[in-house]
Each structure stands twice: as structure tokens, then as C-alpha cells.
Amino acid sequence: MYSISPKKNRSPVTLAALGHLGASLISNYPQTWEIHLKKLQQINWSRSNPEWQYRIIVGGRISKSRISVSLMTVYLKKTFGLALNINKNKLERDKLSKEKISL
């Protein structure tokens, strides 16, 4: 059983992205998906993790948009080495490059 500490990022965006990740794991590894969950421990779930900037943290607050769910799902799938939909990969690349330029 894996859990996310109450002091960590446990937003609805995170839970939705974890659901998408779980569906991908079950689809790709129907017999062994549970073994892959250990990689969740490698992720820094704290809100201060720079990986969340412009994905789900916008203006210091967690964005609950569909785009944020998609961006977090892309990050999780990359972490797990899962294949990405071309559109999702482009979405992340475009969104992150726009946000960094505007700083």
C-alpha cells in the first residue's frame, strides 16, 4: 500500500493524474502493474518541488485545470518510462516553454 503524506501534494489534480497513471500501468503491465508502483517513492511530492512549477503550481497556487492534470500525468508517465501520446508530449513542451519565457 502506498500513500502520500498529508504534508505532501495531495490535490485533486494529483489524484486524477495518479488515476491516469494507474490505468496506463494496468494497460501496459496487466500482470505486474503493482510492482511498478515502487517508483512513486522516487517522486518528490512536496509542493516546493520545482517539477510542479507551471505544471500544476501557477502563481503559487495549485491549478485544478484539465491542462494541469494532463501535464502532471505526462510527468508521471515519463518518470515511469511509459509511452506518451504525441499531443500530450507537445502540450507539456509548449506549456512549459511559454511559462519560462514569460518570466
Side-chain angles (χ1 to χ4, degrees):
M1 176 72 134
Y2 296 91
S3 65
I4 298 173
S5 166
K7 294 181 181 177
K8 305 293 182 179
N9 178 355
R10 57 183 179 133
S11 72
V13 173
T14 303
L15 297 176
L18 286 169
H20 292 294
L21 173 67
S24 292
L25 287 173
I26 290 169
S27 176
N28 285 287
Y29 308 105
Q31 303 300 318
T32 61
W33 65 270
E34 291 179 83
I35 295 168
H36 298 274
L37 294 178
K38 290 180 183 178
K39 289 183 183 177
L40 289 173
Q41 295 173 334
Q42 299 171 1
I43 297 171
N44 174 359
W45 293 102
S46 69
R47 288 181 66 165
S48 62
N49 180 356
E51 293 293 340
W52 305 147
Q53 285 298 321
Y54 314 116
R55 283 187 176 91
I56 65 168
I57 305 285
V58 180
R61 303 191 67 158
I62 293 177
S63 168
K64 297 176 185 167
S65 70
R66 289 183 196 174
I67 291 174
S68 292
V69 172
S70 292
L71 291 171
M72 184 162 203
T73 301
V74 167
Y75 172 79
L76 292 174
K77 284 184 172 185
K78 283 182 176 181
T79 300
F80 278 71
L82 296 171
L84 295 174
N85 172 316
I86 292 171
N87 293 332
K88 299 288 185 186
N89 204 5
K90 183 179 180 331
L91 170 71
E92 181 183 55
R93 195 174 53 248
D94 291 350
K95 173 74 173 164
L96 295 179
S97 64
K98 282 181 191 175
E99 293 297 336
K100 288 179 182 175
I101 288 170
S102 69
L103 291 175

